């Protein structure tokens, strides 16, 4: 009997798949892998570069002296604000507007701009100081609230002025007596009891290094009006006590031809700091001062003494402020 022999069939791997023992992918798979990788990398680079792209200034912005507002827009706003500005007595003239606008144009952003008084130019100042901080202070809580309703983006505060134009000489005498005390030129007015100092603004206002201050309020056309003594004194202290920012503060006083404005400007802003006078606008540049100094001015001007000015000259000439609402 013939025995059946078992046959074993052995499968050998192809010679093309022998070698290192790794499995190799087909060229088509590798192509798809590389295509997907480069597509993802391109998309990631595109969107990242788009988000991180810096905002560059146009040639007009550079010409505007580092102003964040394009020069063409800046000039257009100023142009339309000065058209027929002489038809309303309470409005600033084109020359006066241009004087302030020139300083705002050159102010390095973000520019800190403090304005005493809500006037016809309120929206203009807020617009010209684009990307800066503009704060308005006014005597009327009503007008401040109306402004906040219409323009919640504008920062404004009301202050109750307790002074009167008729008290000018007594207030100046008090300030001289307290020159080394409550009414010193370098201090935080938040903690001061000086009669000419404004100490009831929000706390953070006293910490801002103001670059430009405009005094166009409160009212000062009658003996019972609060006058601008406190605004001018406060501006002088803010400029000399500022921390950080530029060492200089530009202070503008509108209607400087009136007695109160003239006397207080000479007393607290000083004639030595007067840069120019454009019609009814005085432009002062006041620098920081050391805390151990107690004189506002380094040069005494006898003509600025209150005793040489009659009370009738304090109110001359009369101009009645009107609100922009």
């Amino acid at each position: 009997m013939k025995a059946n022999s078992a046959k074993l069939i052995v499968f050998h791997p192809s010679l093309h798949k022998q070698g290192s023992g790794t499995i190799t992918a087909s060229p088509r798979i590798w192509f798809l892998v590389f295509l997907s990788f480069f597509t993802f990398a391109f998309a990631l680079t595109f969107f990242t570069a788009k988000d991180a792209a810096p905002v560059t200034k146009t040639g007009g912005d550079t010409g505007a002296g580092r102003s964040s507002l394009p020069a063409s827009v800046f000039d257009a706003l100023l142009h339309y604000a000065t058209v027929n500005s002489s038809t309303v007595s309470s409005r600033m003239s084109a020359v006066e507007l241009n004087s302030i606008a020139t300083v705002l144009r050159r102010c390095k952003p973000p520019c800190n701009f403090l304005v005493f008084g809500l006037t016809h130019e309120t929206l203009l100042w807020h617009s010209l100081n684009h990307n800066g901080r503009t704060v308005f202070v006014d005597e009327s809580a009503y007008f401040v609230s109306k402004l906040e309703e219409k323009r919640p983006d504008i920062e404004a505060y009301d202050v109750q002025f307790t002074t009167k134009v008729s008290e000018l000489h007594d207030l100046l005498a008090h300030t001289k007596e307290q020159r080394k005390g409550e009414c010193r030129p370098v201090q935080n007015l938040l903690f001061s009891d000086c009669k000419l100092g404004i100490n009831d603004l929000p706390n953070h206002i006293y910490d801002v290094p103001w670059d430009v201050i405009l005094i166009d309020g409160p009212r000062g056309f009658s003996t019972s009006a609060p006058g601008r003594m406190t605004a001018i004194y406060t501006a002088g202290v803010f400029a000399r006590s500022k921390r950080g920012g530029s060492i200089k503060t530009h202070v503008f006083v509108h209607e400087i031809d009136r007695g109160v404005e003239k006397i207080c400007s000479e007393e607290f802003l000083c004639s030595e700091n007067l840069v120019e006078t454009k019609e009814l606008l005085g432009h002062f540049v006041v620098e920081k001062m050391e805390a151990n100094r107690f004189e506002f001015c380094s040069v005494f001007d006898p003509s600025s003494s209150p005793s040489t000015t009659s009370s009738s000259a304090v109110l001359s000439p009369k101009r009645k402020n009107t609100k922009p609402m």
Side-chain angles (χ1 to χ4, degrees):
M1 181 176 178
K2 188 175 181 179
N4 294 330
S5 59
K7 293 182 179 181
L8 180 64
I9 301 176
V10 179
F11 294 92
H12 295 281
S14 173
L15 293 176
H16 297 288
K17 295 181 180 181
Q18 292 180 351
S20 61
T22 59
I23 300 176
T24 59
S26 66
R28 179 175 296 179
I29 296 177
W30 280 114
F31 174 76
L32 292 175
V33 171
F34 281 111
L35 181 62
S36 301
F37 172 77
F38 283 116
T39 302
F40 174 76
F42 173 78
L44 181 64
T45 303
F46 175 79
F47 288 109
T48 302
K50 183 178 180 181
D51 294 337
V55 179
T56 57
K57 293 183 178 181
T58 62
D61 292 335
T62 303
R66 298 188 300 272
S67 173
S68 297
L69 193 68
S72 58
V73 178
F74 190 103
D75 293 338
L77 289 172
L78 188 59
H79 168 73
Y80 287 109
T82 56
V83 173
N84 298 325
S85 62
S86 60
T87 59
V88 181
S89 60
S90 62
R91 294 178 61 178
M92 287 190 181
S93 68
V95 173
E96 295 167 341
L97 290 174
N98 275 284
S99 179
I100 300 172
T102 299
V103 173
L104 290 177
R105 188 193 296 266
R106 296 172 180 172
C107 186
K108 184 177 180 181
C111 183
N112 296 314
F113 185 21
L114 178 63
V115 182
F116 288 93
L118 293 177
T119 65
H120 288 280
E121 294 79 30
T122 295
L123 298 182
L124 176 68
W125 302 139
H126 181 262
S127 299
L128 293 185
N129 193 27
H130 183 65
N131 283 338
R133 181 174 190 178
T134 305
V135 176
F136 296 91
V137 176
D138 193 79
E139 61 181 300
S140 174
Y142 172 77
F143 286 120
V144 169
S145 64
K146 295 296 290 185
L147 177 64
E148 291 175 337
E149 289 178 7
K150 296 179 180 179
R151 294 294 303 271
D153 58 314
I154 295 181
E155 186 177 0
Y157 304 99
D158 62 279
V159 170
Q160 184 177 1
F161 293 91
T162 59
T163 57
K164 292 181 180 180
V165 170
S166 59
E167 302 171 342
L168 171 65
H169 301 301
D170 292 336
L171 290 169
L172 290 179
H174 163 77
T175 305
K176 288 181 180 294
E177 293 175 358
Q178 294 293 325
R179 188 64 56 90
K180 295 185 178 181
E182 296 295 335
C183 299
R184 58 191 184 276
V186 180
Q187 61 170 313
N188 187 340
L189 287 177
L190 181 63
F191 309 104
S192 174
D193 289 328
C194 182
K195 293 181 180 180
L196 283 183
I198 300 176
N199 60 4
D200 55 350
L201 288 168
N203 293 7
H204 63 273
I205 297 298
Y206 298 93
D207 297 325
V208 178
W210 300 105
D211 298 298
V212 185
I213 301 177
L214 169 61
I215 301 168
D216 202 8
R219 295 168 295 118
F221 55 84
S222 68
T223 56
S224 60
R228 299 176 183 174
M229 301 86 73
T230 54
I232 295 174
Y233 170 82
T234 298
V237 174
F238 278 172
R240 293 175 174 87
S241 309
K242 66 190 293 188
R243 298 179 181 179
S246 172
I247 63 172
K248 297 181 179 180
T249 302
H250 294 264
V251 182
F252 293 93
V253 180
H254 192 215
E255 297 175 321
I256 198 170
D257 59 325
R258 298 193 305 198
V260 167
E261 286 78 359
K262 183 177 185 297
I263 293 173
C264 291
S265 293
E266 292 175 343
E267 188 74 24
F268 304 120
L269 300 178
C270 309
S271 57
E272 65 207 56
N273 297 323
L274 180 63
V275 176
E276 63 178 0
T277 300
K278 295 288 187 179
E279 297 184 356
L280 305 180
L281 183 71
H283 178 194
F284 299 82
V285 177
V286 184
E287 295 187 2
K288 294 180 185 178
M289 182 182 288
E290 297 294 331
N292 58 357
R293 292 184 56 184
F294 302 101
E295 295 296 330
F296 282 86
C297 306
S298 59
V299 179
F300 176 71
D301 183 3
S303 64
S304 66
S305 175
S307 60
T308 63
T309 306
S310 63
S311 55
S312 60
V314 171
L315 300 175
S316 177
K318 284 189 177 183
R319 289 184 188 85
K320 189 172 183 178
N321 288 351
T322 57
K323 299 296 181 179
M325 306 302 175

